[in-house]
Amino acid sequence: MTTGILPPSEALNRYFLLPENAETKSGTKVYIDNDNIVSHGFFIGNIGLIVPTNIITELVQNTSICRLPQVPIWFLGMVNLRGSMFPVFDIKTLLGMEELSQNARTLLAMQVNEDFVGVMIDEYPVRLRFNSEQQLSGDPPIPKQLRPFSKRCFKEQGRIWIDWDVEGFFSSISAQL
């Protein structure tokens, strides 16, 4: 009698297949589950940014950011994480957003293409589920610097979430350095 449960060593050595209902746009994958869009995201100020599920993220605690001379204030510096150096950005400062709270911010490392990039976030990432009724139409009130990287927007409990083109955004700001 089999239970259908695999031992961890066997399960981790198998290939994972995307569900048939995975929607792909510009190389990113968003899973659609019974008309719900399922992903994860985080807040920068009062704006939520939805991260495509194919981007690996990691919260980084207790690390030093090495400042660099003569760079924009929103470029916080470089971090060494397990031997890999990557840049860290303060998107809130880049977007000219007010400081809403004095709470400590957390570094979120994201693997974009083959490289890592870090951003300071205001709240821990959350799992998200949106339906088509929550999608905003027209021009939602988002910072103009994010508009070119906004695929679509959703509203949940009075907060706006942006389906974010992460790769395009970081390519754009790295060109400004």
Side-chain angles (χ1 to χ4, degrees), residues 10-47:
E10 187 178 331
L12 292 174
N13 287 320
R14 297 178 61 184
Y15 290 100
F16 294 96
L17 299 175
L18 288 175
E20 289 181 23
N21 61 349
E23 176 183 314
T24 57
K25 290 187 178 184
S26 67
T28 61
K29 294 170 181 51
V30 175
Y31 298 102
I32 300 175
D33 176 28
N34 298 333
D35 269 345
N36 292 316
I37 296 168
V38 181
S39 193
H40 63 285
F42 59 89
F43 275 97
I44 300 289
N46 61 350
I47 300 289

Short mmCIF file of all heavy atoms in Angstrom, two decimals, residues 10-47:
data_model
loop_
_atom_site.label_atom_id
_atom_site.label_comp_id
_atom_site.label_asym_id
_atom_site.label_seq_id
_atom_site.Cartn_x
_atom_site.Cartn_y
_atom_site.Cartn_z
N GLU A 10 14.04 11.75 -2.43
CA GLU A 10 13.51 11.43 -3.76
C GLU A 10 12.74 12.61 -4.34
O GLU A 10 12.87 12.93 -5.52
CB GLU A 10 12.59 10.20 -3.67
CG GLU A 10 12.13 9.71 -5.04
CD GLU A 10 11.25 8.46 -4.93
OE1 GLU A 10 11.43 7.69 -3.96
OE2 GLU A 10 10.40 8.30 -5.81
N ALA A 11 11.99 13.29 -3.52
CA ALA A 11 11.19 14.43 -3.99
C ALA A 11 12.07 15.57 -4.49
O ALA A 11 11.75 16.22 -5.49
CB ALA A 11 10.27 14.92 -2.88
N LEU A 12 13.18 15.82 -3.82
CA LEU A 12 14.05 16.92 -4.21
C LEU A 12 14.86 16.64 -5.46
O LEU A 12 15.41 17.55 -6.07
CB LEU A 12 14.98 17.29 -3.05
CG LEU A 12 14.28 17.91 -1.85
CD1 LEU A 12 15.25 18.10 -0.70
CD2 LEU A 12 13.64 19.24 -2.23
N ASN A 13 14.95 15.40 -5.87
CA ASN A 13 15.69 15.06 -7.07
C ASN A 13 14.80 14.95 -8.30
O ASN A 13 15.26 14.57 -9.36
CB ASN A 13 16.45 13.74 -6.86
CG ASN A 13 17.63 13.94 -5.95
OD1 ASN A 13 18.32 14.94 -6.05
ND2 ASN A 13 17.86 12.99 -5.06
N ARG A 14 13.52 15.29 -8.17
CA ARG A 14 12.60 15.24 -9.30
C ARG A 14 12.51 16.60 -9.96
O ARG A 14 12.78 17.62 -9.36
CB ARG A 14 11.20 14.83 -8.81
CG ARG A 14 11.19 13.43 -8.22
CD ARG A 14 9.84 13.08 -7.72
NE ARG A 14 8.90 13.11 -8.81
CZ ARG A 14 7.60 12.92 -8.67
NH1 ARG A 14 7.11 12.68 -7.49
NH2 ARG A 14 6.79 12.95 -9.70
N TYR A 15 12.09 16.62 -11.22
CA TYR A 15 11.86 17.88 -11.91
C TYR A 15 10.47 18.38 -11.56
O TYR A 15 9.53 17.60 -11.37
CB TYR A 15 11.95 17.68 -13.44
CG TYR A 15 13.34 17.40 -13.89
CD1 TYR A 15 13.75 16.10 -14.17
CD2 TYR A 15 14.25 18.43 -14.03
CE1 TYR A 15 15.04 15.84 -14.58
CE2 TYR A 15 15.55 18.18 -14.45
CZ TYR A 15 15.93 16.89 -14.72
OH TYR A 15 17.20 16.64 -15.12
N PHE A 16 10.35 19.70 -11.47
CA PHE A 16 9.06 20.30 -11.18
C PHE A 16 8.47 20.82 -12.48
O PHE A 16 9.16 21.45 -13.28
CB PHE A 16 9.20 21.45 -10.18
CG PHE A 16 9.63 20.98 -8.82
CD1 PHE A 16 10.96 21.01 -8.45
CD2 PHE A 16 8.71 20.50 -7.93
CE1 PHE A 16 11.37 20.58 -7.21
CE2 PHE A 16 9.09 20.06 -6.68
CZ PHE A 16 10.43 20.09 -6.32
N LEU A 17 7.22 20.56 -12.69
CA LEU A 17 6.53 21.02 -13.89
C LEU A 17 5.58 22.14 -13.50
O LEU A 17 4.94 22.10 -12.46
CB LEU A 17 5.74 19.88 -14.53
CG LEU A 17 6.58 18.69 -14.99
CD1 LEU A 17 5.67 17.58 -15.50
CD2 LEU A 17 7.55 19.13 -16.08
N LEU A 18 5.50 23.15 -14.37
CA LEU A 18 4.54 24.23 -14.12
C LEU A 18 3.13 23.71 -14.34
O LEU A 18 2.89 22.87 -15.21
CB LEU A 18 4.79 25.38 -15.10
CG LEU A 18 6.02 26.21 -14.85
CD1 LEU A 18 6.18 27.23 -15.96
CD2 LEU A 18 5.93 26.90 -13.52
N PRO A 19 2.18 24.22 -13.56
CA PRO A 19 0.80 23.84 -13.81
C PRO A 19 0.38 24.30 -15.20
O PRO A 19 0.94 25.26 -15.73
CB PRO A 19 0.01 24.59 -12.73
CG PRO A 19 1.01 25.11 -11.77
CD PRO A 19 2.33 25.11 -12.43
N GLU A 20 -0.59 23.62 -15.77
CA GLU A 20 -1.06 23.99 -17.11
C GLU A 20 -1.63 25.40 -17.13
O GLU A 20 -1.64 26.05 -18.15
CB GLU A 20 -2.13 23.00 -17.58
CG GLU A 20 -1.55 21.65 -17.91
CD GLU A 20 -2.62 20.69 -18.39
OE1 GLU A 20 -3.68 21.15 -18.86
OE2 GLU A 20 -2.40 19.49 -18.26
N ASN A 21 -2.11 25.88 -15.98
CA ASN A 21 -2.74 27.20 -15.95
C ASN A 21 -1.75 28.30 -15.60
O ASN A 21 -2.13 29.37 -15.19
CB ASN A 21 -3.90 27.21 -14.97
CG ASN A 21 -3.44 26.90 -13.55
OD1 ASN A 21 -2.31 26.49 -13.32
ND2 ASN A 21 -4.32 27.09 -12.60
N ALA A 22 -0.42 28.06 -15.77
CA ALA A 22 0.57 29.10 -15.51
C ALA A 22 0.55 30.09 -16.67
O ALA A 22 0.62 29.71 -17.83
CB ALA A 22 1.95 28.49 -15.36
N GLU A 23 0.42 31.34 -16.34
CA GLU A 23 0.40 32.40 -17.33
C GLU A 23 1.81 32.96 -17.42
O GLU A 23 2.43 33.28 -16.42
CB GLU A 23 -0.56 33.49 -16.87
CG GLU A 23 -0.63 34.70 -17.75
CD GLU A 23 -1.57 35.75 -17.17
OE1 GLU A 23 -2.67 35.39 -16.74
OE2 GLU A 23 -1.16 36.91 -17.15
N THR A 24 2.37 33.06 -18.63
CA THR A 24 3.71 33.61 -18.77
C THR A 24 3.64 34.91 -19.54
O THR A 24 2.96 35.02 -20.56
CB THR A 24 4.63 32.62 -19.51
OG1 THR A 24 4.06 32.33 -20.78
CG2 THR A 24 4.81 31.35 -18.72
N LYS A 25 4.33 35.90 -19.01
CA LYS A 25 4.42 37.20 -19.67
C LYS A 25 5.85 37.67 -19.53
O LYS A 25 6.37 37.73 -18.43
CB LYS A 25 3.49 38.23 -19.00
CG LYS A 25 2.03 37.96 -19.26
CD LYS A 25 1.20 39.07 -18.73
CE LYS A 25 -0.26 38.79 -19.05
NZ LYS A 25 -1.12 39.85 -18.66
N SER A 26 6.46 38.02 -20.60
CA SER A 26 7.83 38.53 -20.64
C SER A 26 8.78 37.71 -19.78
O SER A 26 9.58 38.25 -19.03
CB SER A 26 7.87 40.01 -20.24
OG SER A 26 7.52 40.15 -18.88
N GLY A 27 8.65 36.39 -19.85
CA GLY A 27 9.57 35.53 -19.14
C GLY A 27 9.25 35.30 -17.68
O GLY A 27 9.92 34.55 -17.00
N THR A 28 8.21 35.94 -17.13
CA THR A 28 7.85 35.73 -15.74
C THR A 28 6.62 34.85 -15.68
O THR A 28 5.85 34.76 -16.62
CB THR A 28 7.55 37.06 -15.01
OG1 THR A 28 6.45 37.69 -15.65
CG2 THR A 28 8.76 37.97 -15.05
N LYS A 29 6.46 34.19 -14.56
CA LYS A 29 5.34 33.28 -14.42
C LYS A 29 4.46 33.71 -13.26
O LYS A 29 4.94 34.00 -12.18
CB LYS A 29 5.84 31.86 -14.19
CG LYS A 29 6.58 31.35 -15.41
CD LYS A 29 7.29 30.06 -15.14
CE LYS A 29 8.03 29.58 -16.35
NZ LYS A 29 8.89 30.54 -16.97
N VAL A 30 3.19 33.79 -13.52
CA VAL A 30 2.20 34.07 -12.49
C VAL A 30 1.22 32.92 -12.52
O VAL A 30 0.70 32.57 -13.57
CB VAL A 30 1.47 35.41 -12.76
CG1 VAL A 30 0.38 35.63 -11.75
CG2 VAL A 30 2.45 36.56 -12.76
N TYR A 31 1.00 32.29 -11.40
CA TYR A 31 0.11 31.15 -11.35
C TYR A 31 -1.33 31.61 -11.17
O TYR A 31 -1.62 32.45 -10.34
CB TYR A 31 0.52 30.20 -10.23
CG TYR A 31 1.89 29.65 -10.46
CD1 TYR A 31 2.98 30.14 -9.77
CD2 TYR A 31 2.10 28.67 -11.43
CE1 TYR A 31 4.25 29.66 -10.02
CE2 TYR A 31 3.37 28.19 -11.68
CZ TYR A 31 4.42 28.69 -10.97
OH TYR A 31 5.68 28.22 -11.23
N ILE A 32 -2.19 31.05 -11.96
CA ILE A 32 -3.61 31.37 -11.87
C ILE A 32 -4.32 30.14 -11.36
O ILE A 32 -4.22 29.06 -11.93
CB ILE A 32 -4.16 31.80 -13.24
CG1 ILE A 32 -3.39 33.04 -13.72
CG2 ILE A 32 -5.64 32.06 -13.16
CD1 ILE A 32 -3.74 33.48 -15.09
N ASP A 33 -5.00 30.28 -10.25
CA ASP A 33 -5.66 29.18 -9.57
C ASP A 33 -7.14 29.53 -9.43
O ASP A 33 -7.49 30.38 -8.60
CB ASP A 33 -5.01 28.97 -8.20
CG ASP A 33 -5.70 27.92 -7.37
OD1 ASP A 33 -6.29 27.00 -7.96
OD2 ASP A 33 -5.64 28.02 -6.15
N ASN A 34 -8.00 28.94 -10.27
CA ASN A 34 -9.43 29.23 -10.21
C ASN A 34 -9.71 30.73 -10.29
O ASN A 34 -10.36 31.31 -9.44
CB ASN A 34 -10.05 28.65 -8.94
CG ASN A 34 -9.93 27.16 -8.89
OD1 ASN A 34 -9.86 26.50 -9.92
ND2 ASN A 34 -9.89 26.62 -7.69
N ASP A 35 -9.19 31.39 -11.32
CA ASP A 35 -9.35 32.83 -11.52
C ASP A 35 -8.67 33.69 -10.47
O ASP A 35 -8.91 34.87 -10.38
CB ASP A 35 -10.83 33.22 -11.61
CG ASP A 35 -11.35 33.18 -13.03
OD1 ASP A 35 -10.53 33.13 -13.95
OD2 ASP A 35 -12.57 33.23 -13.19
N ASN A 36 -7.82 33.11 -9.66
CA ASN A 36 -7.05 33.87 -8.68
C ASN A 36 -5.61 33.93 -9.13
O ASN A 36 -5.06 32.94 -9.61
CB ASN A 36 -7.11 33.22 -7.29
CG ASN A 36 -8.49 33.31 -6.69
OD1 ASN A 36 -9.13 34.34 -6.74
ND2 ASN A 36 -8.93 32.22 -6.12
N ILE A 37 -4.98 35.06 -8.98
CA ILE A 37 -3.57 35.22 -9.27
C ILE A 37 -2.83 35.01 -7.95
O ILE A 37 -3.10 35.70 -6.98
CB ILE A 37 -3.28 36.60 -9.88
CG1 ILE A 37 -4.00 36.70 -11.21
CG2 ILE A 37 -1.78 36.82 -10.02
CD1 ILE A 37 -4.06 38.06 -11.79
N VAL A 38 -1.94 34.05 -7.92
CA VAL A 38 -1.23 33.68 -6.70
C VAL A 38 0.24 34.03 -6.86
O VAL A 38 0.87 33.61 -7.83
CB VAL A 38 -1.40 32.18 -6.41
CG1 VAL A 38 -0.68 31.80 -5.13
CG2 VAL A 38 -2.87 31.80 -6.33
N SER A 39 0.77 34.80 -5.93
CA SER A 39 2.17 35.20 -5.97
C SER A 39 2.59 35.62 -4.57
O SER A 39 1.94 35.28 -3.60
CB SER A 39 2.37 36.33 -6.98
OG SER A 39 3.74 36.52 -7.24
N HIS A 40 3.67 36.39 -4.48
CA HIS A 40 4.09 36.98 -3.21
C HIS A 40 4.60 38.39 -3.49
O HIS A 40 4.91 38.75 -4.62
CB HIS A 40 5.13 36.12 -2.50
CG HIS A 40 6.42 35.96 -3.23
ND1 HIS A 40 6.56 35.15 -4.33
CD2 HIS A 40 7.64 36.51 -3.03
CE1 HIS A 40 7.80 35.19 -4.77
NE2 HIS A 40 8.48 36.01 -4.01
N GLY A 41 4.64 39.20 -2.43
CA GLY A 41 5.06 40.58 -2.61
C GLY A 41 5.46 41.22 -1.30
O GLY A 41 5.39 40.61 -0.24
N PHE A 42 5.85 42.49 -1.39
CA PHE A 42 6.31 43.23 -0.22
C PHE A 42 5.95 44.70 -0.41
O PHE A 42 5.58 45.13 -1.50
CB PHE A 42 7.82 43.06 -0.03
CG PHE A 42 8.64 43.52 -1.20
CD1 PHE A 42 9.08 44.83 -1.30
CD2 PHE A 42 8.97 42.64 -2.22
CE1 PHE A 42 9.83 45.25 -2.38
CE2 PHE A 42 9.73 43.05 -3.30
CZ PHE A 42 10.15 44.36 -3.38
N PHE A 43 6.08 45.47 0.67
CA PHE A 43 5.75 46.88 0.63
C PHE A 43 6.98 47.76 0.67
O PHE A 43 7.93 47.51 1.41
CB PHE A 43 4.85 47.27 1.82
CG PHE A 43 3.41 47.02 1.55
CD1 PHE A 43 2.81 45.87 2.00
CD2 PHE A 43 2.65 47.92 0.83
CE1 PHE A 43 1.49 45.61 1.74
CE2 PHE A 43 1.33 47.68 0.56
CZ PHE A 43 0.74 46.52 1.01
N ILE A 44 6.92 48.80 -0.14
CA ILE A 44 7.84 49.92 -0.10
C ILE A 44 6.93 51.12 0.18
O ILE A 44 6.14 51.52 -0.66
CB ILE A 44 8.56 50.12 -1.46
CG1 ILE A 44 9.35 48.90 -1.86
CG2 ILE A 44 9.40 51.38 -1.43
CD1 ILE A 44 10.59 48.65 -1.05
N GLY A 45 7.00 51.64 1.39
CA GLY A 45 6.07 52.70 1.76
C GLY A 45 4.66 52.14 1.76
O GLY A 45 4.40 51.11 2.37
N ASN A 46 3.77 52.80 1.04
CA ASN A 46 2.38 52.33 0.98
C ASN A 46 2.06 51.61 -0.33
O ASN A 46 0.90 51.36 -0.64
CB ASN A 46 1.41 53.50 1.19
CG ASN A 46 1.57 54.56 0.12
OD1 ASN A 46 2.50 54.54 -0.67
ND2 ASN A 46 0.66 55.52 0.11
N ILE A 47 3.08 51.29 -1.12
CA ILE A 47 2.90 50.60 -2.40
C ILE A 47 3.38 49.17 -2.26
O ILE A 47 4.50 48.92 -1.81
CB ILE A 47 3.70 51.30 -3.53
CG1 ILE A 47 3.24 52.74 -3.72
CG2 ILE A 47 3.62 50.52 -4.82
CD1 ILE A 47 1.88 52.89 -4.33
#
